[in-house]
């Protein structure tokens, strides 16, 4: 599995004109372009870093085989872009422009534009895709209860067509999800015009006869490693269960895009949403049913990794908290509850409400990736937000330079060796090509591969050339 | 909102639990000391947050405008 994150970017100055987001993003990538000749590069840790549609800095983790690796590599992406941010701030200060550069790992700006957190799961080509999507959509629509990043709405929820979701029109409110208001279809191959929950574009990035990639774009970007692990871990369990072919009850929703909004704006989890069969269920009903079905599946088939019990426990505790309307049991582990606790404590101490501009600012600053300034990071540094059990943050530091134990290990080693040898490369998720007279290419079709003879041979050649070229000036350091 | 919920839970507890004539002093290091420590931690955090946030909240939020992504 893997995670792609689009970061929001802004430059602020105390006086005078700030750089536009486009210019800030371009400046942010200037050091990358200098060594990679492109704003679309693969890194020694196997990840891809690029400037995406709409000038968003985007980081796609390498393909990971475990939850803790995915979480560590997702956080490594934050560390990498934050390092670039620091370099840019220093450069702007030196030039006299000054100001602050912010990178937000969130999903919406003040004008209602949305950008995403995209999850990739590898599934077997033999899986019946339409059946999988049909079962997965009601799960994804209701998943925001356990994996939403939370959002303040100073003027209450935005209406969807003729539908309004607020109890008291115009009253400030809080929702589970950032992204729910910005999804328009259930599944399609488009991503930006009529944004779906699942993108069905068939780009396996591997052996197309064996693998297919499931591209989920409905999720919120999550700050907390525990929320990210639950989001991915619960979805992975659902996929395994569906792929195993177990008979599942059809919970197809009448209107998934409407249901997403209804559920997001109801913190009780009880609002009924319409199913295609004419019945109604609440998000809590559906999530309880999924949790029970998955738990039975695990009991029957065994846990496929050592964090399954942890996933099931946090999943259950989060649903309990929503049901009891008492979030104290999860307010260090689940993003929307962590953020809500922080905002509520500010509101209580200032005798204010969610309409206060400071609350909207804190909602945004929660997603600032800068250590010591980003509010989530401040909570985590003080132990007021939990870390994935057994981790202390050093895993993400390691993941900045070290690829996970998948084919990313081969790709990352080749990227690093090519930089050391001063060679330019053309790389995608499957191929590594060394540019130059010989045009050597290595093709890695199996994402689980950690050894490949061609890759080993290419690595040996690059390392010899690096030694030979070591008297020449070294290639520019990477980030 | 949560502070309303907290308040109502608090007052309900007061109604349900008869107040003793003389409330025992909280034991040092007991639950109320822990609650106090938590409140202090929250106060410290909010003060530090105030120090890092840019002054003009409204302008800061309005200034964050992107083009849409995927």
């Amino acid at each position: 599995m893997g995670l792609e994150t689009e970061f929001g970017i802004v430059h602020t100055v105390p006086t005078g004109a700030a750089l536009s987001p486009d210019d800030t993003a371009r400046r942010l990538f200037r050091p990358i372009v200098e060594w990679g000749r492109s704003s679309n590069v693969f890194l020694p840790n196997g990840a891809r870093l690029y400037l995406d549609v709409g000038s968003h800095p985007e980081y796609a983790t390498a393909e990971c085989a475990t939850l803790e690796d995915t979480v560590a590599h997702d956080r490594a992406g934050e560390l990498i872009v934050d390092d670039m941010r620091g370099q840019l701030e220093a450069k702007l200060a030196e030039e006299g422009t000054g100001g602050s550069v912010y990178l937000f790992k969130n999903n919406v700006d003040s004008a209602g534009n949305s950008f995403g957190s995209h999850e990739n799961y590898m599934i077997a080509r033999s899986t019946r895709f339409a059946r999988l999507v049909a079962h997965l959509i009601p799960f994804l629509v209701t998943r925001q209860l356990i994996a939403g990043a939370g959002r303040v709405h100073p003027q209450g929820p935005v209406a969807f067509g003729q539908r309004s979701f607020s109890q008291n029109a115009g009253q400030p409110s809080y929702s589970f999800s950032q992204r729910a208001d910005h999804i328009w279809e259930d599944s399609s191959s488009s991503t930006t015009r009529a944004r779906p929950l699942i993108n069905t574009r068939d780009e396996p990035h591997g052996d197309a006869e064996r693998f297919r990639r499931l591209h989920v774009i409905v999720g919120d970007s999550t700050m907390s490693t525990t929320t990210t692990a639950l989001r991915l871990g619960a979805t992975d369990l659902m996929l395994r269960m569906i792929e195993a072919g177990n008979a599942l009850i059809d919970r197809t929703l009448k209107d998934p895009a409407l249901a997403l909004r209804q559920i997001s704006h109801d913190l009780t989890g009880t609002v009924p949403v319409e199913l295609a069969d004419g019945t109604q269920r609440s998000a809590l009903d559906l999530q309880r049913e999924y949790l029970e079905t998955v738990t039975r599946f695990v009991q029957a088939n065994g846990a496929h990794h050592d964090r399954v019990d942890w996933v099931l426990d946090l999943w259950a505790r989060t649903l309990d908290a929503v049901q009891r309307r008492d979030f104290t049991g999860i307010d260090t582990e689940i993003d929307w509850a962590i953020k809500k606790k922080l905002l509520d404590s500010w509101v209580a101490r200032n005798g204010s409400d969610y309409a206060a501009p400071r609350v909207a600012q804190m909602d945004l600053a929660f997603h600032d990736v800068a250590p010591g300034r980003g509010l989530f990071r401040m909570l985590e540094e003080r132990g007021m937000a939990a870390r994935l059990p057994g981790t202390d943050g050093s895993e993400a530091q390691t993941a900045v330079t070290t690829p996970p134990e998948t084919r990313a290990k081969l790709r990352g080693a080749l990227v690093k060796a090519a930089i050391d040898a001063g060679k330019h490369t053309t790389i995608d998720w499957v191929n590594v090509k060394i540019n130059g007279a010989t045009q050597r290419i290595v093709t890695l079709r199996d994402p689980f591969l950690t050894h490949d003879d061609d890759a080993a041979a290419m690595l040996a050649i690059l390392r010899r050339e690096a030694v030979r070229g070591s008297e020449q000036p070294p290639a520019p350091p990477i980030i | 909102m949560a502070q309303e919920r907290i308040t109502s839970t608090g007052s309900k507890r007061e109604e349900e639990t008869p107040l003793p004539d003389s409330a025992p002093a909280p034991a040092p290091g007991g639950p109320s000391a822990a609650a106090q420590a938590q409140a202090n931690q929250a106060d410290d955090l909010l003060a530090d947050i105030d120090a890092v946030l840019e002054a003009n909240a409204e302008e800061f939020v309005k200034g964050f405008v992107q083009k849409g992504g995927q």
Side-chain angles (χ1 to χ4, degrees):
Chain A
M1 60 177 78
L3 255 181
E4 303 166 26
T5 304
E6 291 176 333
F7 295 92
I9 185 166
V10 73
H11 175 236
T12 63
V13 284
T15 52
L19 295 177
S20 71
D22 276 8
D23 287 341
T24 315
R26 263 195 294 276
R27 291 290 306 267
L28 186 77
F29 271 74
R30 196 175 281 172
I32 302 294
V33 175
E34 277 166 13
W35 71 259
R37 286 191 192 171
S38 164
S39 59
N40 178 356
V41 296
F42 279 84
L43 304 178
N45 71 353
R48 183 178 168 218
L49 176 66
Y50 51 114
L51 258 185
D52 190 46
V53 193
S55 293
H56 292 286
E58 179 156 346
Y59 180 86
T61 70
E63 49 281 68
C64 296
T66 67
L67 272 186
E68 51 269 36
D69 276 355
T70 319
V71 165
H73 279 265
D74 179 53
R75 179 61 70 86
E78 293 175 42
L79 300 178
I80 288 168
V81 296
D82 186 63
D83 188 62
M84 293 159 65
R85 184 196 63 77
Q87 287 183 46
L88 176 56
E89 257 182 16
K91 189 87 184 153
L92 291 172
E94 193 184 301
E95 289 169 6
T97 310
S100 303
V101 177
Y102 291 84
L103 287 170
F104 298 111
K105 191 190 186 193
N106 74 338
N107 303 104
V108 63
D109 71 4
S110 66
N113 298 305
S114 182
F115 33 98
S117 168
H118 310 153
E119 299 149 55
N120 295 300
Y121 302 92
M122 196 181 78
I123 55 175
R125 178 58 63 174
S126 55
T127 303
R128 281 168 50 213
F129 195 68
R131 173 182 177 269
L132 179 127
V133 168
H135 282 304
L136 200 62
I137 282 177
F139 167 75
L140 292 174
V141 167
T142 51
R143 189 183 63 166
Q144 50 184 309
L145 264 61
I146 61 168
R151 189 174 177 221
V152 156
H153 304 268
Q155 278 95 42
V158 175
F160 181 53
Q162 299 302 308
R163 295 293 293 259
S164 165
F165 309 104
S166 54
Q167 308 297 317
N168 308 297
Q171 287 303 301
S173 65
Y174 191 80
S175 64
F176 285 122
S177 169
Q178 298 235 323
R179 187 80 163 154
D181 292 334
H182 302 275
I183 299 286
W184 305 97
E185 291 184 356
D186 43 4
S187 66
S188 83
S189 58
S190 163
T191 52
T192 50
R193 267 167 302 147
R195 197 179 290 115
L197 280 84
I198 294 175
N199 180 293
T200 54
R201 228 169 23 194
D202 191 2
E203 295 168 348
H205 296 327
D207 184 347
E209 289 182 11
R210 294 166 62 202
F211 309 122
R212 177 161 186 157
R213 181 175 62 119
L214 177 74
H215 194 49
V216 173
I217 69 170
V218 68
D220 286 3
S221 298
T222 41
M223 297 302 292
S224 139
T225 51
T226 45
T227 313
T228 305
L230 177 60
R231 169 160 69 118
L232 301 173
T235 308
D236 170 57
L237 282 164
M238 282 295 297
L239 289 172
R240 278 173 194 272
M241 184 174 71
I242 297 168
E243 280 202 299
N246 285 29
L248 293 169
I249 306 165
D250 180 6
R251 295 300 184 201
T252 303
L253 297 165
K254 189 177 171 210
D255 185 344
L258 174 64
L260 265 170
R261 290 161 174 79
Q262 291 175 300
I263 292 166
S264 180
H265 294 291
D266 166 43
L267 290 190
T268 71
T270 56
V271 69
V273 296
E274 276 190 71
L275 269 55
D277 64 10
T279 62
Q280 296 190 326
R281 293 282 187 291
S282 72
L284 267 176
D285 292 339
L286 290 175
Q287 277 292 311
R288 286 265 181 230
E289 186 175 297
Y290 290 127
L291 174 60
E292 278 164 28
T293 319
V294 163
T295 304
R296 278 202 301 277
F297 174 75
V298 171
Q299 281 162 357
N301 298 277
H304 70 288
H305 60 77
D306 59 8
R307 289 191 188 268
V308 168
D309 286 345
W310 176 86
V311 168
L312 295 175
D313 174 66
L314 183 54
W315 190 348
R317 283 193 290 116
T318 307
L319 298 183
D320 289 346
V322 174
Q323 189 156 4
R324 286 201 307 265
R325 302 180 194 184
D326 173 359
F327 310 138
T328 50
I330 54 160
D331 62 13
T332 61
E333 292 165 293
I334 301 297
D335 270 27
W336 64 260
I338 300 170
K339 188 196 280 177
K340 187 169 188 306
K341 183 187 182 186
L342 175 67
L343 299 181
D344 287 346
S345 77
W346 186 90
V347 163
R349 273 165 182 73
N350 290 276
S352 186
D353 66 21
Y354 286 168
R358 195 63 151 180
V359 173
Q361 185 186 22
M362 287 173 72
D363 184 353
L364 183 55
F366 185 83
H367 300 269
D368 180 348
V369 299
R373 190 182 71 188
L375 304 194
F376 173 77
R377 290 304 193 79
M378 290 172 72
L379 288 164
E380 192 180 56
E381 283 154 17
R382 287 154 199 247
M384 297 167 84
R387 292 181 191 272
L388 188 65
T391 71
D392 60 10
S394 61
E395 304 77 14
Q397 295 285 353
T398 306
V400 168
T401 49
T402 311
E405 286 291 316
T406 59
R407 76 175 163 195
K409 191 179 175 181
L410 304 174
R411 181 190 310 117
L414 289 169
V415 168
K416 183 169 188 309
I419 293 168
D420 292 346
K423 294 283 180 187
H424 284 284
T425 48
T426 304
I427 306 182
D428 60 36
W429 292 105
V430 174
N431 301 292
V432 178
K433 192 174 85 180
I434 306 298
N435 298 336
T438 52
Q439 295 272 317
R440 288 176 172 276
I441 186 162
V442 167
T443 300
L444 306 164
R445 288 201 176 83
D446 182 349
F448 290 118
L449 211 66
T450 52
H451 178 81
D452 177 83
D453 288 343
D454 291 348
M458 185 187 272
L459 200 57
I461 292 168
L462 287 170
R463 283 179 179 159
R464 272 200 302 278
E465 293 192 13
V467 173
R468 213 177 300 148
S470 60
E471 281 118 50
Q472 293 161 17
I478 178 163
I479 323 179
Chain B
M1 282 195 299
Q3 81 271 23
E4 290 163 356
R5 181 175 53 75
I6 291 162
T7 315
S8 64
T9 318
S11 54
K12 201 160 104 198
R13 262 191 213 134
E14 276 171 30
E15 285 161 23
E16 284 167 1
T17 319
L19 283 170
D21 290 339
S22 58
S32 45
Q36 187 56 46
Q38 228 171 41
N40 288 346
Q41 195 188 23
D43 283 338
D44 289 350
L45 174 74
L46 289 174
D48 290 348
I49 285 176
D50 257 349
V52 297
L53 290 180
E54 293 200 6
N56 194 333
E58 201 160 358
E59 196 180 304
F60 184 79
V61 172
K62 278 196 183 139
F64 179 53
V65 176
Q66 310 283 291
K67 290 179 189 164
Q70 282 189 37

